[in-house]
Structures are given as structure tokens and as C-alpha cells.
Amino acid sequence: MEKNSPGLNRLTTLYPFVEEDDYFLLPLPLCWNSKDKSNFTVLSENNLRVNYQGYGKTHIDAASVRATHPIPSSCGLYYFELKILDKGSDGYIGIGLSAEGVDTNALPGWRKNSFGYHGDDGKAFCSSGVGQPYGPTFTTNDVIGCGINFIDSTCFYTKNGVNLGTAFFDLPLNLYPSVGLNSLGEIVEANFGQSPFVYHIEDDMKELRARIASVILNYPVPDKPMEASVQSMIATYLMHHPQWCDVPRSASSASSSSGIGSSDSSSSDVVSLTPGLSASNATQFWFNLNSFQVSKDSKRKRKSDDA
């Protein structure tokens, strides 16, 4: 993808804390990996479209492909979508996530360290050949989205712009977007964020950042001078970067703007209203984000100095 292209600019806006690599490229999933797929899959349209060309008779004919990069945890909240161009003869399509090295001759979710939502029965498969009821089935022209929340280690799906709720918990890191096909004529096409999504993931990102900011700003200041100084530094950083945490510059009104609680809420109240989000996790996450931003700015300055 060319530098300063609309697609790349959109990804940078979605994931501002992902650090560029040594070639000043974003280490994000951008397309399917032609070297990490089943031989029963054929890629086209800049490796975004997947066409099944297997036998499509039994489960041993399943075929999947992974994206070019694992999803960086610095995304905080990551999301991609697939459009079902053709469900084929049976609609045996699995959409989800898998770790490096997971068997590509299987649908996502059937093998250990893989997770998938399947279109023929609407079930969610978590490292097992036995699925659990989750959502509706999907077919030709449906758009299915998959999101991973690194704050609480969960995964959710959407169908045609509607959030279907949490599908998986306690996800490991370093997962790749993955799709699997298993019947004749199946064709899907991915959108990794280079184009606008059907689902408004930006709203979820704003809400998550507001939750994180609220937890941190309402966290009680400890008696120890060093810890108090660190807490003050975090609060100051958040107040002066509202575009990243979506809170006002006044710390006293941070909670009310996020819709989580009043400004005098205790830390326990705030944490209890944000399931899966502890103050320590939120604090660590924001420290990581700050480090990524500093590193990115420094790298860009070095590039400018060398020019």
C-alpha cells in the first residue's frame, strides 16, 4: 500500500498507537498471505478475495488462509470485515482468528488456538470441533465483522452492521485474521480497514477509550509520593490528549462525559461498571500507548533529519 494513500491514512487514524516498523510501514493485517494458506484456496483482487477450489465433500477438504500479520495488541480494539460474495453449495464458511502454524486444512475454530464463527449453523467454535450456539447463519451478500478487544481479551462479531455480542473470552495474543471455506463455489472478500466498514467500529473505539480514561482518572491517589506522582502524570497526559482518550480537559468531569458515573465515584464503582477492565490494566495500556507514540515520533524525526 502506497504511503499517504487513503487506505493507509484510514488505518493510521483507526490505530494511531501501532508503531511503524524499520521500513516505516504499519505491521497490520493488510491482505491475505499467499504463503500461509491451503492449496484449495485461490487469492485475487490484491489478495483480499478468497475463492474455494477444493473438492468440498467432507471436513478433510476444508481450506483456510491467514492474514499477512498478527494483530498488534497496541491496537487496543481491532476489527475487520468479510463480505460473502457467494456462499457456494453449502455455506461452510468460518470467519475468525488463528495463531501462527495452525492447520490451514481446517476451518477457524476447529484446531487449538483458533476461533471461528461459522455460517452454515451460526455456531462459535473455540479450539474444538464442537461448536456452541452463538448467532444467526450467514449467506451470500452478508457482511460479517470480527473484532478483538485487547483490554478484556474478548472477541465479538457483527452481521450487516449489527453487533452480535461476545463470542470468545481469554484470547491469547498474536492472533491472525483467518477465514476458512469448505464447499464448492464459496467466495469471500476482506476489508482490513482500508475502506469504511459497514459496522461503526469508531463508536466502539471512542467508548473504550472513555472507559479507560474514566478508570484511570477516578483511581484513588495513593499515599506514597512516587505512586502519586505517576498517577498525576497519567492524569495530566490524558487531559492534554483528549483526541486519544475522549475525555474533557477537566479531570473532575471525566466520568460524567463518559457516561460511566459521576466525578465523585470511587475506583471500585468505576471498575465494577466496566467489566473486564481493571485500573491496573487500563494504566498499563495507556503507558504502552504513550511509549508507542514517543517511539513513532522519534523515528519520524530521525527520518526527517536524515532526509
Side-chain angles (χ1 to χ4, degrees), residues 34-302:
S34 61
K35 298 181 180 179
D36 193 9
K37 70 181 188 68
S38 164
N39 291 331
F40 288 160
T41 60
V42 175
L43 305 181
S44 60
E45 300 298 325
N46 296 316
N47 287 353
L48 293 174
R49 184 174 295 182
V50 187
N51 191 323
Y52 178 77
Q53 293 191 355
Y55 300 108
K57 295 181 178 179
T58 67
H59 286 178
I60 64 173
D61 299 323
S64 63
V65 58
R66 272 183 288 274
T68 53
H69 291 82
I71 304 167
S73 60
S74 54
C75 289
L77 177 61
Y78 179 82
Y79 181 78
F80 68 100
E81 288 183 341
L82 284 96
K83 183 172 184 177
I84 314 303
L85 299 180
D86 195 326
K87 78 175 186 65
S89 58
D90 298 302
Y92 294 153
I93 301 172
I95 297 170
L97 308 159
S98 64
E100 183 178 9
V102 172
D103 184 11
T104 56
N105 293 314
L107 296 189
W110 285 355
R111 299 290 188 262
K112 184 178 179 181
N113 291 324
S114 70
F115 311 83
Y117 169 35
H118 294 193
D120 61 306
D121 55 15
K123 291 184 178 180
F125 291 75
C126 178
S127 302
S128 170
V130 179
Q132 301 298 321
Y134 171 65
T137 60
F138 50 86
T139 187
T140 303
N141 292 325
D142 283 333
V143 176
I144 304 301
C146 177
I148 179 169
N149 184 330
F150 287 97
I151 303 302
D152 54 21
S153 302
T154 60
C155 171
F156 68 92
Y157 288 89
T158 67
K159 178 182 177 181
N160 300 329
V162 177
N163 194 317
L164 302 178
T166 301
F168 306 112
F169 299 85
D170 300 322
L171 293 180
L173 297 176
N174 298 316
L175 293 175
Y176 293 71
S178 181
V179 63
L181 311 173
N182 197 191
S183 71
L184 296 175
E186 293 172 343
I187 307 174
V188 300
E189 186 164 306
N191 175 11
F192 291 107
Q194 297 97 322
S195 302
F197 293 122
V198 173
Y199 180 70
H200 297 298
I201 190 63
E202 293 86 352
D203 293 340
D204 288 12
M205 291 177 171
K206 287 182 179 180
E207 180 183 353
L208 180 62
R209 291 167 185 170
R211 285 171 50 198
I212 295 171
S214 181
V215 170
I216 294 175
L217 293 176
N218 283 279
Y219 194 66
V221 178
D223 296 331
K224 298 179 181 179
M226 181 61 184
E227 294 183 11
S229 177
V230 170
Q231 183 63 31
S232 176
M233 179 176 64
I234 295 173
T236 301
Y237 175 80
L238 291 177
M239 286 185 290
H240 287 282
H241 294 83
Q243 72 275 26
W244 292 343
C245 60
D246 298 310
V247 296
R249 295 182 183 275
S250 170
S252 63
S253 60
S255 293
S256 59
S257 75
S258 68
I260 295 177
S262 61
S263 60
D264 59 355
S265 298
S266 68
S267 173
S268 61
D269 291 336
V270 174
V271 173
S272 67
L273 289 171
T274 53
L277 180 63
S278 67
S280 59
N281 286 344
T283 302
Q284 183 60 52
F285 180 68
W286 277 102
F287 266 128
N288 291 342
L289 297 187
N290 193 21
S291 297
F292 277 123
Q293 188 63 30
V294 170
S295 176
K296 182 185 292 186
D297 290 344
S298 298
K299 188 175 292 186
R300 285 173 174 165
K301 184 178 185 303
R302 289 198 304 271

